[in-house]
Amino acid sequence: MTEMTFSSRSVQAAGQPVSELMAEALAHPELISLAAGFVDQETLPVEITARAQQAAFANQDAARASLQYSNPQGLNELRDALLRQSCQWDDSGIPDQVSNENVVTTPGSNQLLYMLANILLDPGDIIICGSPTYFIFIGIVKNVGGETYGVAIDQHGMIPESLDDALSMLKKRGDLARVKAIYLVPYFDNPAGSTLTKERAGEIHEIANRYSEHNKIYVVTDEAYRLLDFNQTAQPSLWAGDRNLNHTIVVGTFSKSYSPGIRVGWGILPPELITPVNDVKGNIDFGSPNINQYIMYEVLRNGWLQEHVSKLCDHYQQKQNAMLDALDEHMSTIDHCSWWNPGGGMYVWLTLPEIIDSAFDKPLYQATKQAGAMYVPGHYCFPKQGEPVQHNTIRLSFGQQTPAKIAEGVKCLAMAVNSVLSIA
Amino acid sequence: MTEMTFSSRSVQAAGQPVSELMAEALAHPELISLAAGFVDQETLPVEITARAQQAAFANQDAARASLQYSNPQGLNELRDALLRQSCQWDDSGIPDQVSNENVVTTPGSNQLLYMLANILLDPGDIIICGSPTYFIFIGIVKNVGGETYGVAIDQHGMIPESLDDALSMLKKRGDLARVKAIYLVPYFDNPAGSTLTKERAGEIHEIANRYSEHNKIYVVTDEAYRLLDFNQTAQPSLWAGDRNLNHTIVVGTFSKSYSPGIRVGWGILPPELITPVNDVKGNIDFGSPNINQYIMYEVLRNGWLQEHVSKLCDHYQQKQNAMLDALDEHMSTIDHCSWWNPGGGMYVWLTLPEIIDSAFDKPLYQATKQAGAMYVPGHYCFPKQGEPVQHNTIRLSFGQQTPAKIAEGVKCLAMAVNSVLSIA
């Protein structure tokens, strides 16, 4: 028998950065990790979940139904509640052409992102992303044989002119028919902590429409961090600029705003995507975990989500401030270091002097470890094509550590930056 | 803009029989459905689940952990318990070369079947299945561009001589390198209610090894119905013939033995498959729902599963007997009708005279509907290649209806068979 070979998809799925990052974290539990994108375990809603579970089981028939297979597209009551809630977040009514038929629930939003990549992309097809963007999504696209193409961002999200330039270039190159979607994380982006402005959202819709010459270019709005909005800026969703879901795909999840372990995410889909999503879902899991949907339905219905999110925002804002204060104290004196105040989410994006490379095998990371901290090297977050990788970037997470540890971790990093610069 | 086109995978995922079957069932709620493969809602373990949930939340730290992301491969304690339990079912100790590292938990076994198809199959690759076999699996293989190849079965499962003939033919055809696995449902098969004998299991291992010339041919043992063993025959798993997991992949689930809505399944994997499965899983859902794993861990740890399964077996055996009695009463007088006593699971496989076609658009189905019942036409369960489709077959499920309704449903079917034969 010759060497074992697996499928080309399997080869494409291999070597995801998350494996490297997790291995590194597990190997160094003694370090202050500013790397992990996990929510703070202390904040997880044990008491609310117990209450919601009891409420879901109060009625014997509903309890039994929750232990049966779910409707493959998701629990009807939850899909109704998610649609209502999503519109309320935008201070909008439910659009005429949209109903719970457009809503699907998934075990976390990851499954939906995977299904969308599966449905939209043949090998070699392109999704346009921010440069940087959510690195798990880059891996998902790679897994199905697609390509991510990076467009410049700043603290206000993707830059429309850069998007227009990229599409124009792809068109010249003869690749416009390969572009299937533009993927955005418009609220408190992972990794950049950037938030898309309303003006830019409008321009992005216009550009997506204008370049939909060969096929529809979808706009995917991944709103994972939306509710972690510390200053209640309440930006409307990208969906608000395309209310009838001509080309907008809304992706949501309770992983950051409630609990990742409960694995309830959702999508609000243009009509032509409903059947393809249900078809793939029938093969992947035959319906999302049902009991979890009943729990989240009770959490929403009783207003317990809002109660929890308010506390969460206070909690994370303190951590964010600890990180920003420490950056001000230790990094503002170093030339060519920059960052912005995300105002929400869990991440601060740090740009260092260009001569510094933040990769694991480079001096900065080694010096940071020696000082006692760790981070995610920014290069993992850059699409393979388009804007060049910025090796001098770092994703800092304030999700898991206490404010004191965050301050200490940032101090370790600043020491390391100074020591690397002094040698360079 | 031209017509919307989705990926080739999306096209392959379309038109699954389950959609047709569900649409048919939803359109006719007035019929006695002997079609649905759902477990009986009356049996779902509300009280045990509430108890398990409370036990999982009794400790605040564990409760929080259950709301955090799972280890992507699954909760360690549950993976330990599943490994121990699986060996106990075989009256075996844990083999030296196997540990919880070989175990992955998935939201139902469907996700694992999907991941395996993804990892093992490039377009055009082949998985050998029973003819008939689990129709959802046929769809999964089609979704990734693979082919299913059917081998004859009888009430004792896949016939080794037929398997040998099929592989020999595929070898002659030059397609042996395309064969990646043999898929079996060895206990109370869906749809055929057949159970593989120990002797045949040994022969299948030997054949798989012998034909592993170009690449390893895996033996996938899908043990979904294992615990619904009414007569406690306690056949050892196919794994028992390959304890160190050279080529055997064990697939398990609590969907039939406990609750489908809880979505906890598992795999016990050969070592070389662990990393590929984790890689794909990182893209699909980033870890199974965690709270569900904590609940099932408590159910296992406290012996509540066994308690539930005993009741379940009594319950389903009565239904099975009602179906077998009704078949004896109404069908044994019709020439060329045959079935066997499955002794477990949820299905009886019925073969009718060859001139009858059981498809939805043929006279028998229409006559059965008119008489007041519905069933799953057997043709859905036949792989595309290999043994020819038997259009004169039917899958009857005794899972959901009461014994009285089952008797009535079978009577309706027998009337329809008689009326179709009288015209033919």
Side-chain angles (χ1 to χ4, degrees):
Chain A
M1 197 189 73
T2 61
E3 190 70 5
M4 195 58 225
T5 55
F6 296 128
S7 71
S8 55
R9 283 245 172 158
S10 180
V11 173
Q12 288 153 7
Q16 302 284 352
V18 72
S19 316
E20 259 172 84
L21 293 170
M22 283 182 124
E24 181 67 22
L26 286 170
H28 296 287
E30 77 286 1
L31 299 177
I32 297 174
S33 173
L34 303 176
F38 287 4
V39 300
D40 187 349
Q41 195 133 321
E42 294 298 305
T43 65
L44 289 167
V46 171
E47 194 273 325
I48 297 179
T49 306
R51 226 192 294 160
Q53 163 73 32
Q54 272 170 23
F57 270 36
N59 169 324
Q60 182 80 358
D61 282 345
R64 279 184 180 149
S66 80
L67 293 169
Q68 186 58 279
Y69 281 112
S70 165
N71 171 341
Q73 200 174 327
L75 178 65
N76 285 337
E77 295 91 318
L78 178 60
R79 284 155 61 215
D80 280 332
L82 286 168
L83 182 59
R84 254 194 325 267
Q85 181 70 78
S86 298
C87 291
Q88 277 168 13
W89 286 327
D90 284 347
D91 285 323
S92 153
I94 296 173
D96 286 345
Q97 293 173 49
V98 178
S99 74
N100 79 6
E101 275 304 302
N102 298 81
V103 184
V104 59
T105 62
T106 50
S109 52
N110 250 75
Q111 191 197 57
L112 181 57
L113 294 176
Y114 177 79
M115 292 195 294
L116 290 172
N118 228 305
I119 290 164
L120 298 179
L121 303 179
D122 274 316
D125 283 351
I126 295 165
I127 292 199
I128 292 185
C129 303
S131 177
T133 191
Y134 178 40
F135 65 77
I136 299 283
F137 186 70
I138 295 175
I140 289 174
V141 171
K142 176 172 168 273
N143 190 171
V144 303
E147 311 265 352
T148 44
Y149 189 102
V151 162
I153 65 149
D154 61 23
Q155 68 176 300
H156 304 301
M158 188 177 279
I159 300 170
E161 293 72 26
S162 304
L163 174 62
D164 200 342
D165 289 348
L167 283 163
S168 162
M169 201 283 297
L170 286 162
K171 185 176 170 178
K172 254 181 233 150
R173 202 173 94 181
D175 279 343
L176 189 57
R178 287 211 161 272
V179 178
K180 299 299 165 71
I182 302 163
Y183 171 77
L184 298 145
V185 187
Y187 298 95
F188 323 112
D189 191 9
N190 174 2
S194 63
T195 294
L196 192 74
T197 62
K198 203 177 156 184
E199 291 67 34
R200 286 192 179 178
E203 291 177 69
I204 288 169
H205 279 306
E206 185 276 319
I207 295 168
N209 277 329
R210 179 150 46 86
Y211 284 93
S212 291
E213 297 174 11
H214 302 277
N215 50 254
K216 198 185 274 194
I217 297 178
Y218 288 97
V219 174
V220 181
T221 170
D222 180 347
E223 307 187 343
Y225 299 90
R226 176 171 195 174
L227 297 185
L228 299 185
D229 177 4
F230 308 154
N231 309 312
Q232 299 297 306
T233 53
Q235 295 260 21
S237 166
L238 261 161
W239 183 25
D242 175 33
R243 264 292 176 240
N244 284 326
L245 296 166
N246 168 58
H247 63 220
T248 305
I249 302 171
V250 183
V251 178
T253 176
F254 292 117
S255 289
K256 306 300 171 182
S257 58
Y258 189 81
S259 149
I262 202 116
R263 300 312 292 124
V264 178
W266 66 93
I268 308 178
L269 307 172
E272 72 276 13
L273 280 168
I274 299 166
T275 300
V277 163
N278 284 339
D279 285 341
V280 176
K281 197 157 170 55
N283 289 330
I284 293 186
D285 69 1
F286 214 67
S288 298
N290 211 2
I291 185 170
N292 310 48
Q293 296 184 70
Y294 276 80
I295 290 173
M296 285 314 304
Y297 172 61
E298 292 293 340
V299 169
L300 273 184
R301 190 166 73 100
N302 293 290
W304 298 333
L305 178 68
Q306 200 40 58
E307 172 191 328
H308 181 66
V309 165
S310 300
K311 279 193 223 159
L312 214 54
C313 283
D314 287 347
H315 185 84
Y316 282 127
Q317 188 167 25
Q318 282 175 34
K319 291 170 179 252
Q320 176 204 256
N321 292 346
M323 183 166 277
L324 294 173
D325 289 348
L327 285 166
D328 275 338
E329 185 179 344
H330 302 293
M331 304 281 278
S332 60
T333 52
I334 310 173
D335 282 347
H336 307 294
C337 287
S338 64
W339 63 91
W340 53 73
N341 177 345
M346 287 166 49
Y347 309 104
V348 171
W349 184 246
L350 180 63
T351 302
L352 299 171
E354 278 189 18
I355 55 163
I356 293 183
D357 186 326
S358 68
F360 280 157
D361 57 353
K362 293 296 188 298
L364 179 70
Y365 187 77
Q366 299 304 323
T368 309
K369 258 166 79 169
Q370 219 155 10
M374 63 179 292
Y375 59 76
V376 171
H379 72 85
Y380 289 116
C381 308
F382 287 84
K384 286 284 166 290
Q385 294 188 46
E387 286 290 305
V389 180
Q390 295 170 281
H391 293 277
N392 56 325
T393 54
I394 281 176
R395 187 191 80 172
L396 294 174
S397 165
F398 52 82
Q400 275 206 307
Q401 304 294 337
T402 61
K405 287 277 186 194
I406 289 168
E408 203 184 321
V410 170
K411 192 175 162 188
C412 294
L413 174 60
M415 279 168 56
V417 171
N418 277 317
S419 84
V420 168
L421 285 176
S422 72
I423 293 164
Chain B
M1 197 188 72
T2 60
E3 190 70 5
M4 195 59 227
T5 56
F6 296 128
S7 71
S8 55
R9 284 242 171 161
S10 179
V11 173
Q12 288 153 9
Q16 302 285 350
V18 72
S19 316
E20 258 172 85
L21 293 169
M22 284 180 122
E24 181 67 22
L26 287 170
H28 296 287
E30 78 286 2
L31 299 177
I32 298 175
S33 173
L34 302 175
F38 287 4
V39 300
D40 188 349
Q41 195 135 321
E42 294 298 305
T43 66
L44 289 167
V46 171
E47 194 274 323
I48 297 178
T49 306
R51 225 191 296 160
Q53 163 74 31
Q54 271 169 21
F57 270 36
N59 168 324
Q60 181 80 358
D61 283 344
R64 280 184 180 149
S66 79
L67 293 170
Q68 186 56 278
Y69 281 112
S70 165
N71 171 340
Q73 201 175 325
L75 179 66
N76 285 336
E77 295 90 319
L78 178 61
R79 284 154 60 216
D80 280 332
L82 286 167
L83 182 59
R84 257 194 324 268
Q85 182 68 79
S86 297
C87 291
Q88 278 168 12
W89 286 327
D90 283 348
D91 284 323
S92 153
I94 295 172
D96 287 345
Q97 293 172 50
V98 177
S99 73
N100 79 7
E101 275 304 301
N102 298 81
V103 184
V104 60
T105 62
T106 49
S109 52
N110 248 75
Q111 192 197 57
L112 182 57
L113 294 175
Y114 177 80
M115 292 196 294
L116 291 172
N118 227 304
I119 290 164
L120 298 178
L121 304 179
D122 274 317
D125 283 351
I126 295 165
I127 292 197
I128 292 185
C129 304
S131 179
T133 192
Y134 177 39
F135 64 77
I136 298 284
F137 186 70
I138 296 176
I140 289 174
V141 171
K142 175 170 168 273
N143 190 173
V144 304
E147 311 266 354
T148 43
Y149 189 102
V151 162
I153 66 151
D154 62 22
Q155 69 175 302
H156 305 301
M158 189 178 278
I159 299 170
E161 294 71 28
S162 304
L163 174 61
D164 201 341
D165 289 348
L167 283 162
S168 161
M169 199 284 295
L170 285 163
K171 186 175 168 177
K172 254 181 234 149
R173 199 173 95 177
D175 278 342
L176 189 57
R178 288 213 161 269
V179 178
K180 299 299 163 71
I182 302 162
Y183 172 77
L184 297 145
V185 187
Y187 297 96
F188 322 111
D189 192 8
N190 174 4
S194 64
T195 294
L196 192 73
T197 63
K198 204 178 155 182
E199 293 65 35
R200 287 192 178 180
E203 291 177 68
I204 287 170
H205 280 307
E206 185 275 318
I207 294 169
N209 277 327
R210 181 151 44 85
Y211 283 93
S212 291
E213 296 174 12
H214 302 277
N215 50 254
K216 197 185 275 192
I217 297 178
Y218 288 96
V219 174
V220 180
T221 169
D222 180 346
E223 307 186 345
Y225 300 90
R226 177 171 194 173
L227 296 186
L228 299 186
D229 178 4
F230 308 154
N231 309 313
Q232 299 297 306
T233 53
Q235 296 261 23
S237 166
L238 261 162
W239 182 25
D242 176 33
R243 265 292 178 236
N244 286 325
L245 296 166
N246 168 57
H247 62 223
T248 306
I249 301 171
V250 183
V251 178
T253 177
F254 292 115
S255 289
K256 307 300 171 183
S257 58
Y258 189 80
S259 149
I262 202 116
R263 299 312 294 121
V264 178
W266 67 93
I268 308 179
L269 307 173
E272 72 276 12
L273 279 169
I274 299 167
T275 300
V277 163
N278 284 338
D279 285 341
V280 177
K281 196 156 170 53
N283 288 332
I284 294 186
D285 69 0
F286 214 67
S288 297
N290 211 3
I291 186 168
N292 310 50
Q293 297 184 70
Y294 275 79
I295 290 173
M296 285 315 302
Y297 172 61
E298 293 294 339
V299 169
L300 273 184
R301 188 165 75 98
N302 292 291
W304 297 333
L305 179 69
Q306 202 38 60
E307 174 190 327
H308 181 66
V309 165
S310 300
K311 279 191 226 163
L312 214 54
C313 284
D314 288 348
H315 185 83
Y316 282 126
Q317 189 167 24
Q318 284 177 34
K319 291 169 181 253
Q320 176 204 256
N321 292 347
M323 184 167 276
L324 294 172
D325 290 349
L327 286 165
D328 275 340
E329 185 178 345
H330 303 291
M331 305 281 278
S332 58
T333 51
I334 310 173
D335 280 345
H336 307 294
C337 287
S338 64
W339 63 91
W340 51 75
N341 177 346
M346 286 164 51
Y347 309 103
V348 171
W349 183 245
L350 180 64
T351 303
L352 299 172
E354 278 188 19
I355 53 160
I356 293 184
D357 186 327
S358 67
F360 281 157
D361 58 352
K362 293 295 190 298
L364 179 69
Y365 187 78
Q366 299 305 323
T368 309
K369 258 167 74 170
Q370 218 156 11
M374 61 178 292
Y375 59 77
V376 171
H379 73 86
Y380 289 116
C381 308
F382 287 84
K384 287 283 165 290
Q385 293 188 46
E387 287 290 307
V389 179
Q390 295 169 279
H391 293 278
N392 56 327
T393 54
I394 281 176
R395 187 191 79 172
L396 294 174
S397 167
F398 52 83
Q400 276 205 307
Q401 304 294 337
T402 60
K405 287 277 184 194
I406 288 169
E408 202 183 323
V410 170
K411 191 175 165 189
C412 295
L413 174 61
M415 280 166 56
V417 171
N418 278 319
S419 84
V420 170
L421 285 174
S422 71
I423 296 165

